[in-house]
Amino acid sequence: GAVVSQHPSWVICKSGTSVKIECRSLDFQATTMFWYRQFPKQSLMLMATSNEGSKATYEQGVEKDKFLINHASLTLSTLTVTSAHPEDSSFYICSARPGLGSGTGEQYFGPGTRLTVT
Amino acid sequence: GDSVTQMEGPVTLSEEAFLTINCTYTATGYPSLFWYVQYPGEGLQLLLKATKADDKGSNKGFEATYRKETTSFHLEKGSVQVSDSAVYFCAGGGFKTIFGAGTRLFVKA
Protein backbone atom coordinates (compact mmCIF):
# COMPACT_ATOMS: atom_id res chain seq x y z
CA GLY A 1 0.00 0.00 0.00
CA ALA A 2 0.81 3.72 0.03
CA VAL A 3 2.06 3.95 -3.54
CA VAL A 4 2.64 7.24 -5.30
CA SER A 5 3.20 7.41 -9.02
CA GLN A 6 4.55 10.16 -11.23
CA HIS A 7 4.17 10.65 -14.93
CA PRO A 8 6.20 11.02 -16.99
CA SER A 9 9.32 9.50 -15.48
CA TRP A 10 11.49 11.58 -17.78
CA VAL A 11 10.85 14.29 -20.30
CA ILE A 12 12.92 16.35 -22.68
CA CYS A 13 11.49 19.62 -23.90
CA LYS A 14 12.63 22.66 -25.81
CA SER A 15 13.30 25.97 -24.16
CA GLY A 16 10.18 28.10 -23.98
CA THR A 17 7.70 25.26 -23.89
CA SER A 18 5.65 24.08 -20.91
CA VAL A 19 5.73 20.67 -19.28
CA LYS A 20 3.15 19.08 -17.00
CA ILE A 21 4.08 16.46 -14.41
CA GLU A 22 1.41 14.37 -12.70
CA CYS A 23 1.54 12.94 -9.21
CA ARG A 24 -1.00 10.35 -8.12
CA SER A 25 -1.61 8.53 -4.88
CA LEU A 26 -2.75 5.14 -6.10
CA ASP A 27 -4.24 3.53 -3.04
CA PHE A 28 -4.93 6.31 -0.58
CA GLN A 29 -6.34 9.79 -0.43
CA ALA A 30 -4.23 12.79 0.39
CA THR A 31 -5.38 16.30 1.12
CA THR A 32 -1.79 17.41 1.00
CA MET A 33 0.92 16.67 -1.51
CA PHE A 34 4.38 18.17 -1.70
CA TRP A 35 6.60 19.02 -4.65
CA TYR A 36 10.36 18.89 -4.31
CA ARG A 37 13.27 19.58 -6.56
CA GLN A 38 16.50 17.63 -6.31
CA PHE A 39 19.72 18.71 -7.94
CA PRO A 40 22.41 16.10 -8.69
CA LYS A 41 23.94 14.72 -5.52
CA GLN A 42 22.02 17.18 -3.38
CA SER A 43 19.13 17.03 -1.00
CA LEU A 44 15.50 17.66 -1.68
CA MET A 45 14.35 21.24 -1.77
CA LEU A 46 10.70 21.77 -0.96
CA MET A 47 9.11 23.88 -3.67
CA ALA A 48 5.49 24.00 -2.63
CA THR A 49 2.73 22.37 -0.69
CA SER A 50 -0.22 21.34 -2.81
CA ASN A 51 -3.59 21.55 -1.10
CA GLU A 52 -6.67 19.86 -2.53
CA GLY A 53 -9.33 22.39 -3.32
CA SER A 54 -7.21 25.44 -2.62
CA LYS A 55 -4.16 27.29 -3.82
CA ALA A 56 -0.72 25.85 -3.36
CA THR A 57 1.64 27.30 -0.78
CA TYR A 58 5.01 28.12 -2.28
CA GLU A 59 8.33 28.25 -0.47
CA GLN A 60 10.32 31.43 -0.47
CA GLY A 61 12.15 31.98 -3.71
CA VAL A 62 9.95 29.68 -5.80
CA GLU A 63 8.16 31.46 -8.64
CA LYS A 64 4.51 30.59 -8.43
CA ASP A 65 3.84 31.83 -11.96
CA LYS A 66 6.53 29.56 -13.33
CA PHE A 67 5.70 26.44 -11.37
CA LEU A 68 1.93 26.07 -11.53
CA ILE A 69 0.44 23.56 -9.15
CA ASN A 70 -3.07 22.20 -9.32
CA HIS A 71 -4.48 19.72 -6.84
CA ALA A 72 -7.49 18.55 -8.78
CA SER A 73 -8.60 15.74 -6.50
CA LEU A 74 -7.62 13.84 -3.38
CA THR A 75 -5.42 11.59 -5.48
CA LEU A 76 -3.95 13.89 -8.12
CA SER A 77 -1.67 16.90 -8.11
CA THR A 78 0.03 18.39 -11.16
CA LEU A 79 3.08 20.59 -11.54
CA THR A 80 3.40 22.59 -14.74
CA VAL A 81 6.75 24.15 -15.53
CA THR A 82 5.87 27.07 -17.78
CA SER A 83 8.22 28.59 -20.34
CA ALA A 84 10.91 26.15 -19.34
CA HIS A 85 14.57 27.10 -19.56
CA PRO A 86 17.70 24.97 -19.28
CA GLU A 87 18.17 26.03 -15.65
CA ASP A 88 14.84 24.35 -14.87
CA SER A 89 16.39 21.00 -15.76
CA SER A 90 16.23 18.93 -12.61
CA PHE A 91 14.71 15.95 -10.87
CA TYR A 92 11.21 16.76 -9.61
CA ILE A 93 9.76 14.60 -6.87
CA CYS A 94 6.30 14.63 -5.37
CA SER A 95 5.11 13.13 -2.13
CA ALA A 96 1.77 12.57 -0.52
CA ARG A 97 0.76 12.30 3.07
CA PRO A 98 -2.12 9.91 3.70
CA GLY A 99 -5.17 11.33 5.36
CA LEU A 100 -7.73 13.98 4.91
CA GLY A 101 -6.31 16.54 7.30
CA SER A 102 -3.04 18.38 7.82
CA GLY A 103 -1.34 15.52 9.59
CA THR A 104 2.30 15.18 10.54
CA GLY A 105 3.04 11.61 9.62
CA GLU A 106 5.43 10.30 7.03
CA GLN A 107 5.17 11.09 3.38
CA TYR A 108 5.21 8.61 0.53
CA PHE A 109 7.30 9.61 -2.41
CA GLY A 110 6.85 9.25 -6.11
CA PRO A 111 9.74 7.89 -8.18
CA GLY A 112 10.53 11.31 -9.57
CA THR A 113 10.49 12.95 -12.98
CA ARG A 114 13.69 13.96 -14.69
CA LEU A 115 13.21 17.10 -16.76
CA THR A 116 15.77 18.13 -19.33
CA VAL A 117 15.26 21.43 -21.12
CA THR A 118 17.30 21.89 -24.28
CA GLY B 1 13.95 27.97 11.57
CA ASP B 2 13.92 24.21 11.68
CA SER B 3 16.94 22.43 10.27
CA VAL B 4 18.44 18.99 9.95
CA THR B 5 22.17 18.42 9.82
CA GLN B 6 23.74 15.12 8.87
CA MET B 7 27.29 14.01 8.36
CA GLU B 8 28.79 14.59 4.97
CA GLY B 9 29.69 11.70 2.78
CA PRO B 10 30.58 9.75 1.00
CA VAL B 11 31.03 7.00 3.53
CA THR B 12 32.88 3.93 2.25
CA LEU B 13 32.76 0.71 4.24
CA SER B 14 33.63 -2.91 3.71
CA GLU B 15 30.89 -5.48 3.87
CA GLU B 16 29.93 -6.46 7.44
CA ALA B 17 31.35 -3.25 8.90
CA PHE B 18 29.42 -1.18 11.44
CA LEU B 19 27.64 1.89 10.13
CA THR B 20 26.83 5.14 11.87
CA ILE B 21 25.46 8.18 10.11
CA ASN B 22 25.03 11.14 12.43
CA CYS B 23 22.00 13.39 12.33
CA THR B 24 21.02 16.28 14.54
CA TYR B 25 18.01 18.52 14.32
CA THR B 26 17.00 21.98 15.40
CA ALA B 27 13.32 22.60 15.80
CA THR B 28 10.67 24.24 17.85
CA GLY B 29 9.15 21.48 19.85
CA TYR B 30 9.74 17.83 19.17
CA PRO B 31 9.08 16.91 15.58
CA SER B 32 8.75 13.42 14.15
CA LEU B 33 12.07 12.20 12.79
CA PHE B 34 12.69 10.00 9.77
CA TRP B 35 15.39 8.27 7.81
CA TYR B 36 14.77 7.89 4.09
CA VAL B 37 16.88 5.89 1.65
CA GLN B 38 17.34 6.52 -2.05
CA TYR B 39 18.78 3.67 -4.09
CA PRO B 40 20.43 4.50 -7.41
CA GLY B 41 17.87 5.55 -9.98
CA GLU B 42 14.95 5.25 -7.58
CA GLY B 43 12.77 7.49 -5.48
CA LEU B 44 12.94 7.96 -1.74
CA GLN B 45 11.71 5.24 0.54
CA LEU B 46 10.97 5.56 4.21
CA LEU B 47 13.49 3.47 6.12
CA LEU B 48 12.39 4.13 9.68
CA LYS B 49 10.82 6.75 11.89
CA ALA B 50 10.33 7.87 15.47
CA THR B 51 7.58 10.14 16.64
CA LYS B 52 8.64 11.03 20.17
CA ALA B 53 11.61 11.17 22.49
CA ASP B 54 13.27 7.83 23.31
CA ASP B 55 11.42 6.09 20.49
CA LYS B 56 13.59 3.68 18.52
CA GLY B 57 12.82 3.17 14.87
CA SER B 58 14.11 0.03 13.22
CA ASN B 59 13.87 -1.68 9.85
CA LYS B 60 16.04 -4.03 7.77
CA GLY B 61 18.72 -4.10 10.48
CA PHE B 62 18.92 -0.30 10.69
CA GLU B 63 18.12 1.49 13.93
CA ALA B 64 17.87 5.06 15.16
CA THR B 65 16.85 6.41 18.54
CA TYR B 66 15.22 9.79 19.07
CA ARG B 67 17.47 11.48 21.66
CA LYS B 68 15.84 14.60 23.03
CA GLU B 69 18.79 15.58 25.21
CA THR B 70 21.22 15.64 22.30
CA THR B 71 18.62 16.45 19.61
CA SER B 72 20.00 13.56 17.60
CA PHE B 73 18.69 10.68 15.52
CA HIS B 74 21.79 8.79 14.42
CA LEU B 75 21.36 5.89 12.01
CA GLU B 76 23.17 2.64 12.83
CA LYS B 77 23.52 -0.81 11.35
CA GLY B 78 25.66 -3.54 12.82
CA SER B 79 26.72 -5.23 9.59
CA VAL B 80 26.28 -3.52 6.24
CA GLN B 81 25.86 -5.29 2.93
CA VAL B 82 26.74 -4.24 -0.59
CA SER B 83 23.02 -3.85 -1.24
CA ASP B 84 22.89 -1.08 1.40
CA SER B 85 24.82 1.22 -0.93
CA ALA B 86 22.53 4.22 -1.38
CA VAL B 87 21.97 7.78 -0.24
CA TYR B 88 20.49 8.18 3.21
CA PHE B 89 18.50 11.26 4.20
CA CYS B 90 17.66 12.28 7.72
CA ALA B 91 14.47 14.30 7.92
CA GLY B 92 12.25 15.85 10.50
CA GLY B 93 9.29 18.03 10.87
CA GLY B 94 5.71 18.53 11.66
CA PHE B 95 3.48 19.50 8.79
CA LYS B 96 6.42 20.19 6.46
CA THR B 97 9.38 17.85 6.41
CA ILE B 98 12.89 19.26 6.34
CA PHE B 99 15.60 17.09 4.81
CA GLY B 100 19.26 16.86 5.59
CA ALA B 101 21.78 17.05 2.77
CA GLY B 102 22.02 13.29 2.39
CA THR B 103 24.90 10.91 3.01
CA ARG B 104 26.08 8.64 0.24
CA LEU B 105 27.12 5.18 1.42
CA PHE B 106 29.32 2.85 -0.60
CA VAL B 107 29.75 -0.70 0.65
CA LYS B 108 32.57 -2.73 -0.86
CA ALA B 109 32.48 -6.51 -1.14
Side-chain angles (χ1 to χ4, degrees), chain B residues 12-109:
Chain B
T12 303
L13 296 173
S14 297
E15 212 166 18
E16 299 184 1
F18 184 86
L19 168 72
T20 300
I21 300 178
N22 291 339
C23 171
T24 57
Y25 66 90
T26 303
T28 303
Y30 302 103
S32 295
L33 298 174
F34 311 92
W35 277 100
Y36 287 89
V37 58
Q38 187 177 32
Y39 297 103
E42 300 184 14
L44 270 73
Q45 302 173 29
L46 178 66
L47 181 60
L48 54 83
K49 68 175 182 178
T51 57
K52 62 183 186 298
D54 299 326
D55 264 2
K56 176 186 281 188
S58 61
N59 185 25
K60 300 181 181 179
F62 291 90
E63 292 184 342
T65 301
Y66 192 148
R67 303 281 188 202
K68 185 174 68 173
E69 62 277 10
T70 54
T71 64
S72 65
F73 193 55
H74 304 322
L75 181 68
E76 297 181 336
K77 186 174 185 181
S79 177
V80 294
Q81 305 300 311
V82 172
S83 57
D84 293 327
S85 298
V87 181
Y88 293 82
F89 293 95
C90 184
F95 179 66
K96 290 194 293 188
T97 301
I98 307 297
F99 286 82
T103 302
R104 186 172 296 273
L105 171 66
F106 293 105
V107 180
K108 303 179 297 183

Side-chain angles (χ1 to χ4, degrees), chain A residues 32 34 36 38 41-44 46 49 51 59 91 93 97 101-112, chain B residues 6 32 34 36 38 41-46 49 51 87 89-90 93-102 104:
Chain A
T32 304
F34 301 90
Y36 295 86
Q38 186 181 28
K41 298 185 179 182
Q42 293 188 30
S43 189
L44 280 71
L46 179 64
T49 303
N51 305 299
E59 295 300 302
F91 195 53
I93 303 172
R97 176 172 284 145
S102 56
T104 59
E106 70 265 28
Q107 303 166 44
Y108 294 92
F109 286 82
Chain B
Q6 64 182 101
S32 295
F34 311 92
Y36 287 89
Q38 187 177 32
E42 300 184 14
L44 270 73
Q45 302 173 29
L46 178 66
K49 68 175 182 178
T51 57
V87 181
F89 293 95
C90 184
F95 179 66
K96 290 194 293 188
T97 301
I98 307 297
F99 286 82
R104 186 172 296 273

Side-chain angles (χ1 to χ4, degrees), chain A residues 21-32:
Chain A
I21 302 170
E22 292 186 351
C23 176
R24 291 181 186 272
S25 56
L26 298 185
D27 50 4
F28 64 96
Q29 294 181 325
T31 304
T32 304

Side-chain angles (χ1 to χ4, degrees), chain A residues 4-117:
Chain A
V4 175
S5 70
Q6 279 184 244
H7 178 79
S9 55
W10 58 271
V11 57
I12 301 172
C13 71
K14 293 186 177 181
S15 188
T17 62
S18 296
V19 174
K20 180 185 284 188
I21 302 170
E22 292 186 351
C23 176
R24 291 181 186 272
S25 56
L26 298 185
D27 50 4
F28 64 96
Q29 294 181 325
T31 304
T32 304
M33 294 184 174
F34 301 90
W35 285 96
Y36 295 86
R37 187 172 177 176
Q38 186 181 28
F39 292 98
K41 298 185 179 182
Q42 293 188 30
S43 189
L44 280 71
M45 181 191 78
L46 179 64
M47 299 175 64
T49 303
S50 173
N51 305 299
E52 189 269 338
S54 64
K55 293 182 179 180
T57 304
Y58 290 82
E59 295 300 302
Q60 192 172 10
V62 178
E63 299 175 61
K64 60 181 66 175
D65 293 332
K66 180 167 190 61
F67 298 100
L68 300 180
I69 291 172
N70 181 267
H71 198 138
S73 73
L74 289 171
T75 59
L76 172 65
S77 175
T78 60
L79 168 69
T80 302
V81 183
T82 62
S83 186
H85 289 95
E87 57 265 30
D88 298 325
S89 299
S90 191
F91 195 53
Y92 292 88
I93 303 172
C94 75
S95 71
R97 176 172 284 145
L100 302 180
S102 56
T104 59
E106 70 265 28
Q107 303 166 44
Y108 294 92
F109 286 82
T113 297
R114 183 161 303 284
L115 169 64
T116 301
V117 184

